[in-house]
Amino acid sequence: MIGIGGIGAFFVVGLLVSLRLLGLWHKTRQLPELTAALGLLGIGPLGFCVLMGGPILVPGTPLAHLFFVTGLALQGLGFLAASVFTWRVFRPGAPWARAFPIAMAAGLAVALVGYAVVPSGGSHWHLHLDIWLKVACLAWGAAESLGYWRVTRRRVALGFADALVSASFLCWGIALSAGALGFLGIYVAVLALPPGEHLGAGVEVALSLCGMVSAAALFLAFLPPKAYARWLATRSPTAEAQS
């Protein structure tokens, strides 16, 4: 229960950002807005809510396993959408980037079959495949966004780019990095736990922290307060020159 605070914050912010992006997509009909919205929905609010619905609503029943597998499927679709977003926004002309979502979709589908048919006490091969593909997706998106932030930061310093847009790339990269660390934390904790044991308090606190960092970064990236935007504007070379 300790980790519920950070995860809850991520759910709420992820849902708000997803709805805003879906509203934007309704106006623009552009693929990046749609894939970013579906990625956040699938990975966060929708996927995890269904994933955890079984243990909460029908614990210890076959229906709980159905909830689990369905939640993983929804989450997988979210990761697929997130990988398409990274490809289309940052590497639209790279063949390897175009192939990444296809390879990830195939790998996650294989892992999902493993979750569905392998008993809970059986081999963990599907867990390894599932987690590492998801971490790779988040890490790739984080690396691309942070790299773009470094480029735009130099342009902001010269007065050729908007400080708020540049900071949004930084915040998006931080949000994805925190998500990748969270999935790695779950992975290590699950492998280290004896069968039937629950996550320790330290692991829950770490996961909660990852959720809070991701939520805060998402909020600043897509729902920036006016005071935050003004603060960034005062730090730009244009504002310094006018003062």
Side-chain angles (χ1 to χ4, degrees):
M1 296 298 292
I2 299 175
I4 199 67
I7 302 301
F10 173 72
F11 284 176
V12 171
V13 175
L15 181 60
L16 291 175
V17 171
S18 298
L19 293 176
R20 177 167 184 175
L21 288 171
L22 285 174
L24 184 60
W25 170 76
H26 184 70
K27 296 177 181 178
T28 65
R29 299 294 176 175
Q30 296 298 307
L31 187 62
E33 287 90 338
L34 177 62
T35 51
L38 295 180
L40 283 173
L41 271 178
I43 295 172
L46 187 58
F48 260 117
C49 283
V50 176
L51 195 68
M52 299 305 297
I56 295 174
L57 300 176
V58 284
T61 67
L63 192 56
H65 186 64
L66 178 61
F67 267 89
F68 179 73
V69 174
T70 303
L72 284 176
L74 292 171
Q75 197 178 75
L77 291 175
F79 275 98
L80 176 59
S83 67
V84 172
F85 172 81
T86 303
W87 158 46
R88 294 300 299 166
V89 171
F90 297 106
R91 300 282 180 178
W96 67 266
R98 183 171 61 249
F100 185 92
I102 299 172
M104 195 185 67
L108 289 178
V110 171
L112 186 65
V113 172
Y115 279 115
V117 302
V118 176
S120 58
S123 170
H124 289 294
W125 64 267
H126 48 283
L127 171 66
H128 303 307
L129 179 61
D130 179 63
I131 293 295
W132 282 112
L133 283 172
K134 291 174 178 176
V135 170
C137 176
L138 294 173
W140 177 36
E144 295 288 0
S145 191
L146 292 175
Y148 208 78
W149 165 68
R150 286 193 291 269
V151 172
T152 57
R153 182 180 60 172
R154 290 193 290 269
R155 294 176 181 173
V156 169
L158 296 172
F160 297 143
D162 184 82
L164 182 60
V165 173
S166 178
S168 296
F169 285 110
L170 172 61
C171 292
W172 179 243
I174 291 174
L176 294 180
S177 298
L181 288 175
F183 272 94
L184 279 177
I186 294 173
Y187 176 68
V188 172
V190 168
L191 291 183
L193 280 177
E197 289 272 343
H198 296 288
L199 295 177
V203 175
E204 291 191 3
V205 169
L207 294 178
S208 182
L209 181 60
C210 288
M212 288 181 179
V213 170
S214 186
L218 277 177
F219 185 78
L220 292 177
F222 293 99
L223 304 169
K226 292 181 179 179
Y228 171 69
R230 287 196 299 267
W231 175 74
L232 287 174
T234 60
R235 294 168 55 87
S236 66
T238 304
E240 291 178 358
Q242 292 175 349
S243 62

